[in-house]
């Protein structure tokens, strides 16, 4: 087997790691102004004002952008680019939405191009993007360590911008920042991270380099997520899930995802649904079928989850999702849609890489069956 491991940013982990931000900003040459892309909840809690004041003390001007909600849309990216004119660096603080906005606009501000110029790899990214510091507060997407960035294009469909140029230069992991994340989001995001690790460790692209991070992520997340959901102030559990999510980001950055993410992106093409919940529903619906492949990689992933074999995984995952309080239900916005709609989205060209990377061949009949089982779920949250 031959493989390479893509670049991993500098990572600083620890409770109160955020207090090192001003010194970290100053450690980069010539930074006089930053664009702070910060989640609205955190901005309103006073964090944007606190960071701006601390950066002012070291002579750095801050422009705050927090005017976005839900998954990033093209209009949010345009507004962030306008806010960030003149910045030398982008700091992203929040969930995957804040981080993806920050990583994309660091490229667009440097080049003067529109995000659509780079969507779906239409054109090469600029070689000298603005410097980026990424600080996740959800423990789910792994965007802080990946070269992937997701946003909704002009027609509302999920698009991606991919490239090492979008990667963070520095990642700060401070578990205290995740304490305010509500239980349902803690569980949904944690499952997203878990599935990143699982899919990267078991799909057709997997290799030992990614498995090193993925298996550690599986261990950390399966042992700590339930505690983080039930005891939000447990900083050790929060830290384990945050570190697991970061390692899972490294794993998908190397090997990508698989069928659960095909379903989750397909669902997002129909209506608004949290990415972690959609991915968890897709994972549970396909895991029994997937583990029939019984590969050494599936069995190694099972062991990292603390169970003896791949065959035990479906029962383990369903029980664990129950204990983490995950209700198997789609948002009410999905009421007008049926299994044919979901199957069509699962077959859409942009979702084929995730279908193809799945360790088993995903036939059209499989797609129809999975779509039927997902759309049979209650539509009520
Ligand atoms: N770049 C990647 O590799 C990658 C991977 C997976 C998903 N994604 C994308 O990431 C986005 C989803 O990100 P997410 O799941 O982190 O959610 P999010 O960033 O959309 O945030 C979800 C909610 O959590 C709130 N929140 C965030 N941090 C909080 C905190 N500490 N306390 C209280 N509330 C907090 C936000 O205000 C928001 O309401 C989607 O657009 C998805 O497509 C990207
Ligand atoms: Fe994901």
């Amino acid at each position: 087997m031959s493989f390479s491991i893509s670049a991993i940013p500098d990572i600083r982990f620890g409770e109160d790691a955020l207090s090192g931000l001003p010194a970290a900003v100053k450690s980069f040459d010539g930074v006089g102004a930053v664009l702070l892309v910060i989640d609205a909840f955190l901005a309103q809690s006073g964090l944007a004002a606190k960071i701006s004041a601390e950066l002012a003390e070291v002579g750095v001007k801050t422009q705050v952008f927090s005017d976005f909600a839900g998954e990033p849309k093209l209009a949010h990216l345009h507004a962030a680019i306008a806010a960030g004119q003149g910045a030398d660096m982008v700091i992203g603080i929040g969930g995957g939405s804040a981080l993806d906005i920050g990583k994309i606009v660091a490229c667009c501000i440097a080049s003067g191009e529109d995000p659509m110029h780079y969507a779906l790899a239409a054109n090469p990214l600029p070689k000298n993007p603005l410097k980026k510091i990424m600080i996740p507060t959800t423990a789910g997407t792994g965007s802080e360590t990946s070269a992937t960035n997701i946003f909704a294009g002009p027609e509302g469909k999920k698009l991606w911008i991919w490239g090492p140029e979008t990667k963070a230069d520095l990642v700060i992991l401070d578990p205290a920042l995740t304490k305010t994340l509500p239980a349902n989001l803690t569980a949904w995001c944690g499952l997203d991270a878990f599935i990143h690790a699982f899919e990267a460790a078991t799909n057709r692209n997997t290799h030992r380099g990614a498995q090193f991070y993925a298996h550690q992520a599986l261990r950390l997340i399966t042992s700590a997520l339930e505690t983080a959901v039930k005891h939000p102030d447990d900083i050790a559990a929060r830290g384990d899930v945050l570190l697991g999510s970061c390692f899972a980001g490294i794993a998908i950055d190397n090997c990508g995802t698989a069928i659960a993410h095909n379903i989750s992106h397909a669902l997002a093409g129909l209506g608004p649904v949290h990415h972690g919940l959609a991915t968890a529903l897709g994972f549970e619906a396909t895991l029994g079928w997937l583990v029939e492949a019984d590969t050494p990689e599936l069995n190694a992933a099972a062991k990292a989850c603390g169970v003896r074999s791949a065959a035990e995984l479906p029962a383990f995952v369903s029980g664990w999702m129950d204990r983490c309080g995950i209700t198997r239900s789609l948002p009410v916005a999905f009421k007008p849609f049926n299994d044919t709609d979901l199957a069509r989205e699962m077959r859409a060209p942009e979702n084929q890489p995730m279908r193809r990377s799945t360790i088993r061949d995903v036939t059209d009949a499989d797609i129809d069956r999975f779509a039927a089982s997902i759309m049979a779920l209650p539509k009520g949250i």
Side-chain angles (χ1 to χ4, degrees):
M1 172 189 266
S2 66
F3 62 85
S4 56
I5 299 177
S6 62
I8 299 170
D10 283 1
I11 299 171
R12 296 188 192 157
F13 173 89
E15 194 179 354
D16 202 32
L18 184 65
S19 63
L21 181 63
V25 170
K26 292 303 284 181
S27 72
F28 289 88
D29 270 347
V31 177
V34 302
L35 171 66
L36 177 63
V37 179
I38 181 165
D39 181 90
F41 172 88
L42 295 162
Q44 281 154 21
S45 75
L47 190 60
K50 182 171 178 281
I51 289 174
S52 304
E54 286 170 358
L55 290 178
E57 272 175 34
V58 295
V60 175
K61 232 173 73 196
T62 305
Q63 178 62 47
V64 177
F65 176 75
S66 62
D67 195 10
F68 59 95
E71 305 200 336
K73 293 166 194 64
L74 187 58
H76 299 139
L77 298 175
H78 288 156
I81 290 166
Q85 292 305 311
D88 316 300
M89 168 183 270
V90 177
I91 300 173
I93 304 190
S97 298
L99 271 44
D100 285 1
I101 293 174
K103 289 161 63 193
I104 293 171
V105 305
C107 292
C108 295
I109 293 169
S111 69
E113 294 288 356
D114 191 272
M116 290 307 290
H117 184 71
Y118 303 117
L120 307 178
N123 290 289
L125 286 154
K127 290 296 161 212
N128 291 307
L130 301 191
K131 294 290 179 198
K132 307 169 217 72
I133 299 181
M134 292 295 137
I135 309 172
T137 67
T138 58
T141 70
S143 173
E144 68 274 17
T145 38
S146 82
T148 302
N149 311 279
I150 316 270
F151 70 103
E155 285 145 29
K157 296 278 177 228
K158 271 199 174 190
L159 299 176
W160 47 263
I161 290 178
W162 182 91
E165 297 84 353
T166 70
K167 276 190 171 183
D169 298 282
L170 171 66
V171 174
I172 296 179
L173 300 177
D174 187 337
L177 286 171
T178 67
K179 283 204 303 195
T180 47
L181 194 65
N184 65 333
L185 281 168
T186 301
W188 294 347
C189 293
L191 258 293
D192 185 28
F194 169 80
I195 297 161
H196 292 160
F198 190 90
E199 294 198 318
T202 59
N203 69 16
R204 286 180 201 262
N205 309 321
T206 193
H207 58 62
R208 287 163 61 199
Q211 287 160 15
F212 176 82
Y213 294 96
H215 289 167
Q216 185 62 6
L218 294 175
R219 283 183 207 103
L220 286 163
I221 297 167
T222 51
S223 58
L225 183 63
E226 189 183 340
T227 308
V229 170
K230 293 180 176 164
H231 306 282
D233 292 334
D234 187 320
I235 207 73
R238 289 285 190 184
D240 282 358
V241 179
L242 186 60
L243 194 57
S245 167
C246 175
F247 288 167
I250 296 171
I252 39 168
D253 195 52
N254 283 280
C255 296
T257 58
I259 186 65
H261 276 83
N262 168 287
I263 295 175
S264 137
H265 284 235
L267 281 167
L270 295 179
V273 55
H274 184 268
H275 171 77
L277 171 64
T279 309
L281 296 175
F283 188 66
E284 192 178 31
T286 51
L287 187 56
W289 164 86
L290 190 79
V291 297
E292 284 173 20
D294 201 27
T295 61
E297 289 78 16
L298 283 164
N299 283 288
K303 289 202 172 69
C305 296
V307 299
R308 281 172 304 185
S309 69
E312 292 181 18
L313 276 168
F316 164 76
V317 167
S318 292
W320 181 49
M321 283 172 62
D322 288 343
R323 295 196 301 284
C324 290
I326 296 180
T327 305
R328 276 55 150 206
S329 176
L330 289 166
V332 276
F334 283 78
K335 278 194 174 156
F337 300 110
N338 61 23
D339 42 350
T340 313
D341 298 313
L342 181 58
R344 185 191 62 240
E345 292 295 326
M346 289 174 68
R347 292 191 181 100
E350 65 271 22
N351 293 330
Q352 295 321 288
M354 297 168 275
R355 176 180 179 180
R356 282 195 297 271
S357 63
T358 303
I359 196 67
R360 289 189 69 179
D361 287 338
V362 184
T363 65
D364 279 339
D366 293 327
I367 292 227
D368 291 340
R369 205 160 32 85
F370 298 149
S373 88
I374 296 283
M375 294 313 271
L377 291 169
K379 294 165 186 161
I381 50 165

